Amino acid sequence: MLEPRGAVGILTGASRGVGPYIAEHLARAGVRLALVARTEDGLRETARRIRHHGHEPLVVPADISDEDDQRRVVDTVSSTLGPPSLLVNNAAVEHISRFQDATVEDIKRVILVNLFGTEALTRLVLPHLLSAGRGHIVTIGSVAGRTAYPYGTVNSSTKHGVVGFTWSLREELRGTGVGVSAVYPTLISDVGISARWQAGRRPPLLGRVGPDEVARAVLKCIRKNKVEITVSPPMEKIADVMGAVSPRLTSWVARRGGVHSYLRKVAETQERSR
């Protein structure tokens, strides 16, 4: 287990969505943070938001899907703050559409950020953690990585990849002092792409959680070395367990509950706005 206070941590996707909330909770816990995202203005806003909690955050504008940027992030953090002992892979992009309407560029963009960026950056950070004999890696996944997510098929495939990545790497690193975890939120209220969806009334089965709940789950994973935490209303947690037992039944319940038809409307709305 890693004690957050004093740890050098890298947080990707720190400029928007749930990222600033995770940054705030980590800063309160005493993590010396490097904030990473493509948008420098957003990063500086997050830095202003959290600097009063203690350590001055390091702002590193970078595209984590780019190999040169990945190396630059790790080198900059190591030379400025010291060797990292914590990595929170939060950066992600979404594309909502019928799969046949997604372009090759759409598919590449989602996979390069959500899966390749996560794994490649982790690979660069990992030697520092192994050398120290301690550290933690947390990746923000999604409940869409545990069940069918029609009209977000490319997103879902990357989030399913996060599940396999987390469990496999955790077993590989067992006994090294390095923990590996994932947090699986459902739709997040107030921030992120789903907060902007315009598709009519959301079905009751498709709940939302607050961004602070997700941030608290990240810290719980670090402090208690939890392999995974699903952040969702109680009914969706039941569905998550049910999905592991019977994916077919889970899909049937989602169809009957209007979840899939709602997602289709979201995709149609998104397509018209492009």
Side-chain angles (χ1 to χ4, degrees):
M1 291 180 286
L2 177 69
E3 170 51 48
R5 186 160 299 281
V8 173
I10 299 172
L11 170 64
T12 69
S15 66
R16 61 187 178 87
V18 73
Y21 294 84
I22 297 174
E24 189 163 16
H25 281 256
L26 292 175
R28 283 180 193 162
V31 176
R32 299 170 61 206
L33 271 176
L35 306 174
V36 180
R38 290 177 299 174
T39 310
E40 184 170 357
D41 288 347
L43 288 176
R44 297 207 176 277
E45 178 58 36
T46 301
R48 283 192 291 271
R49 172 175 175 165
I50 69 172
R51 62 169 46 105
H52 67 276
H53 292 302
H55 302 287
E56 179 71 21
L58 175 65
V59 168
V60 189
D63 180 353
I64 68 151
S65 68
D66 181 86
E67 293 178 63
D68 290 337
D69 273 15
Q70 294 161 6
R71 285 188 288 270
R72 180 171 57 80
V73 166
V74 179
D75 290 345
T76 301
V77 172
S78 299
S79 62
T80 306
L81 298 179
S85 54
L86 171 65
L87 170 63
V88 180
N89 292 305
N90 173 61
V93 295
E94 272 197 320
H95 182 82
I96 308 296
S97 74
R98 295 185 306 170
F99 183 71
Q100 65 264 37
D101 293 332
T103 66
V104 170
E105 288 305 313
D106 292 331
I107 295 170
K108 285 172 63 177
R109 180 174 61 92
V110 174
I111 293 175
L112 282 173
V113 174
N114 296 9
L115 197 53
F116 170 72
T118 290
E119 295 193 10
L121 186 59
T122 299
R123 173 182 168 274
L124 293 174
V125 170
L126 191 53
H128 294 285
L129 279 58
L130 291 172
S131 176
R134 68 183 187 97
H136 209 98
I137 300 156
V138 184
T139 302
I140 307 300
S142 170
V143 294
R146 303 287 292 267
T147 188
Y149 184 39
Y151 308 101
T153 300
V154 184
N155 309 330
S156 184
S157 69
T158 62
K159 296 305 185 180
H160 276 266
V162 165
V163 176
F165 172 67
T166 298
W167 278 94
S168 299
L169 186 60
R170 185 180 173 94
E171 286 303 306
E172 186 174 325
L173 298 181
R174 187 174 293 277
T176 65
V178 179
V180 184
S181 306
V183 174
Y184 308 131
T186 186
L187 302 182
I188 302 173
S189 61
D190 304 322
V191 298
I193 188 171
S194 66
R196 301 189 299 273
W197 285 355
Q198 300 294 325
R201 182 175 176 270
R202 191 175 72 254
L205 285 179
L206 200 59
R208 289 188 178 181
V209 295
D212 285 306
E213 295 177 71
V214 181
R216 284 193 291 268
V218 170
L219 269 174
K220 188 173 182 180
C221 282
I222 297 166
R223 285 175 165 149
K224 298 191 175 183
N225 195 23
K226 294 276 190 181
V227 61
E228 58 185 13
I229 297 178
T230 298
V231 185
S232 66
M235 281 299 295
E236 286 194 50
K237 288 184 178 177
I238 294 171
D240 185 52
V241 174
M242 187 172 68
V245 176
S246 176
R248 185 176 299 178
L249 177 59
T250 304
S251 292
W252 180 83
V253 171
R255 288 196 302 274
R256 296 286 293 180
V259 172
H260 293 182
S261 60
Y262 176 78
L263 292 173
R264 185 179 65 249
K265 290 177 183 176
V266 171
E268 290 169 350
T269 303
Q270 298 270 10
E271 191 61 36
R272 286 195 296 269
S273 67
R274 289 189 185 106

